[in-house]
């Protein structure tokens, strides 16, 4: 039995070593990241910068929590959230809470992670040929047709933890850049429902 075990280990060793040295494809890394978002809650601060051709860049700051398709974000005195069925939008300026049933297109537009998930089916997914870093993955999604509406989507992930550092969306007329900070993954699921006692509720569902 000892000899059989020894022979098995000798035969298996080259396979095990080869498996350890295999570099994952960009598509696999992206899928692992999306699976992470499905199973854990991502919380982060962010800075969003929009650059239109020929105009001065405009930046906004905020914070976000997301898990699967559900998310909650705060920016510019507004709070938005999606609990899997209803989209909540609260305006601090008017003290108004609006409830709607969003379309898939509206959700994708509001959540860049969902956008990446949709683009995965419409794009060539590759590591950026122009960037290399031992600590990061630079994943490019290059659409194969005009249906996607963008020229390129670039996602930067920290190796090991798969924490997002940056998203860049290049469109024909502008570029949107989201830089993440204070990124935390948590097993806990927060509430994705916005309740604002005393606010005027505009229920459009």
């Amino acid at each position: 039995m000892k000899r059989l075990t020894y022979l098995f280990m000798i035969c298996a060793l080259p396979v095990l070593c080869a498996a350890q040295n295999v570099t994952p494809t960009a598509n696999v890394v992206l899928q692992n990241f999306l699976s992470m978002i499905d199973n854990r809650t991502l919380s982060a601060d962010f800075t969003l910068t929009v650059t239109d051709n020929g105009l001065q860049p405009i930046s906004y700051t905020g914070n976000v929590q997301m898990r699967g398709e559900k998310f909650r974000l705060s920016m510019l005195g507004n709070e938005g959230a999606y609990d899997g069925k209803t989209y909540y939008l609260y305006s601090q300026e008017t003290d108004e809470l609006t409830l709607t049933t969003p379309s898939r297109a509206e959700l994708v537009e509001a959540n860049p992670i969902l956008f990446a998930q949709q683009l995965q089916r419409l794009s060539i997914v590759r590591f950026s040929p122009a960037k290399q870093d031992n600590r990061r993955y630079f994943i490019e999604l290059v659409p194969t047709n005009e249906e996607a509406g963008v020229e390129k989507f670039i996602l930067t992930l920290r190796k090991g933890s798969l924490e997002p550092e940056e998203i860049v969306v290049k469109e024909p007329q502008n570029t949107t850049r989201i830089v993440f900070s204070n990124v935390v993954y948590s097993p806990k699921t927060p509430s994705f429902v916005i309740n604002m006692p005393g606010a005027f509720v505009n229920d459009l569902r």
Side-chain angles (χ1 to χ4, degrees):
M1 179 62 71
K2 288 183 179 180
R3 178 176 174 80
L4 182 61
T5 303
Y6 174 77
L7 289 174
F8 173 80
M9 292 302 298
I10 290 297
C11 292
L13 186 59
V15 177
L16 294 173
C17 290
Q20 291 174 353
N21 291 327
V22 170
T23 301
T25 65
N27 212 26
V28 167
V29 174
L30 176 59
Q31 191 56 54
N32 288 343
F33 169 65
L34 294 174
S35 296
M36 180 86 81
I37 297 293
D38 280 336
N39 296 300
R40 300 178 73 83
T41 300
L42 170 68
S43 301
D45 297 324
F46 66 84
T47 299
L48 184 152
T49 302
V50 179
T51 305
D52 287 317
N53 290 346
L55 298 178
Q56 191 72 15
I58 302 175
S59 295
Y60 312 93
T61 59
N63 56 73
V64 64
Q65 292 179 306
M66 63 181 74
R67 186 172 188 140
E69 292 193 344
K70 301 177 182 179
F71 62 89
R72 182 167 183 159
L73 62 88
S74 299
M75 188 174 68
L76 296 174
N78 298 319
E79 287 192 54
Y82 177 64
D83 65 358
K85 182 178 180 181
T86 299
Y87 182 70
Y88 306 80
L89 179 61
Y90 174 71
S91 171
Q92 188 175 40
E93 182 179 358
T94 61
D95 195 24
E96 180 177 353
L97 179 62
T98 301
L99 284 62
T100 59
T101 301
S103 65
R104 180 68 183 180
E106 290 170 333
L107 287 175
V108 167
E109 186 174 338
N111 187 337
I113 304 302
L114 293 182
F115 190 32
Q117 190 176 48
Q118 176 172 295
L119 277 180
Q120 189 179 22
R121 299 188 296 269
L122 304 171
S123 305
I124 296 171
V125 182
R126 66 187 186 189
F127 292 122
S128 172
K131 295 182 178 181
Q132 293 185 357
D133 191 320
N134 291 331
R135 298 172 297 171
R136 297 174 179 85
Y137 292 115
F138 300 95
I139 301 173
E140 291 185 352
L141 289 82
V142 184
T144 55
N145 57 57
E146 296 181 356
E147 180 185 345
V150 300
E151 295 177 345
K152 189 181 293 186
F153 183 105
I154 306 170
L155 172 65
T156 303
L157 298 173
R158 193 169 300 171
K159 289 185 178 180
S161 65
L162 294 183
E163 295 174 6
E165 293 189 351
E166 183 182 70
I167 289 174
V168 177
V169 183
K170 295 186 176 182
E171 301 176 72
Q173 300 300 322
N174 61 68
T175 299
T176 301
R177 184 184 305 273
I178 306 172
V179 178
F180 297 94
S181 60
N182 303 318
V183 177
V184 176
Y185 282 114
S186 171
K188 297 181 180 179
T189 303
S191 172
F192 293 102
V193 175
I194 296 179
N195 291 309
M196 292 293 177
F200 174 75
V201 178
N202 185 22
D203 194 338
L204 302 177
R205 293 174 293 180

